[in-house]
Amino acid sequence: NQLPKHVRDDLAIQQLSDLYQSQLAELNACHSLLTVDQERLATMLAPYVNANGELIMEAPDPDVLLFKQGLDLRLKEFEEDCKRIQLTEQNLQAKIDAAATDYEQAVNGIAL
């Protein structure tokens, strides 16, 4: 029981659209958390910044260092998530374009 091509295409578009919405919601949440943590890091570093805005620290505070390493790792993950959602967006656009072309060809075929 094979579904017609346009129905399969519509389902694929819907699935990609759902995936895109899910990835976008996750990215927005991650971005908010990263922004808060970047502000927290700035607060942690504030006592070590001189009047010229330069970081002056005899030895790195282990807590600050650990927090920054965790933040750097999460920033890398965020960049990877951004690349992943771009791929989803490209796949979704390709499916939509293909479906639109199929639809136009079907309409033109009927018009002839």
Side-chain angles (χ1 to χ4, degrees):
N1 186 10
Q2 187 89 11
L3 292 172
K5 183 181 183 326
H6 72 279
V7 174
R8 289 194 318 266
D9 290 345
D10 287 350
L11 286 172
I13 289 170
Q14 186 58 55
Q15 287 173 336
L16 280 170
S17 181
D18 291 347
L19 175 62
Y20 181 81
Q21 292 300 323
S22 169
Q23 288 174 325
L24 189 59
E26 191 176 315
L27 270 180
N28 283 330
C30 288
H31 183 264
S32 296
L33 290 173
L34 285 170
T35 301
V36 168
D37 283 349
Q38 285 176 319
E39 291 168 2
R40 184 169 168 216
L41 179 61
T43 302
M44 293 169 85
L45 290 173
Y48 305 105
V49 176
N50 67 16
N52 297 326
E54 298 166 336
L55 196 58
I56 48 162
M57 202 183 261
E58 297 289 322
D61 180 324
D63 292 337
V64 173
L65 203 54
L66 187 62
F67 188 81
K68 179 165 181 340
Q69 289 169 344
L71 184 58
D72 287 345
L73 180 62
R74 289 187 20 241
L75 280 168
K76 267 192 169 68
E77 290 171 350
F78 183 77
E79 288 172 6
E80 290 169 11
D81 290 344
C82 287
K83 290 176 187 170
R84 218 177 344 270
I85 198 172
Q86 285 175 330
L87 283 175
T88 301
E89 185 179 11
Q90 290 167 359
N91 290 338
L92 179 57
Q93 189 61 55
K95 284 277 186 199
I96 291 170
D97 291 346
T101 300
D102 289 349
Y103 176 76
E104 287 170 11
Q105 288 174 345
V107 168
N108 289 336
I110 292 169
L112 296 177

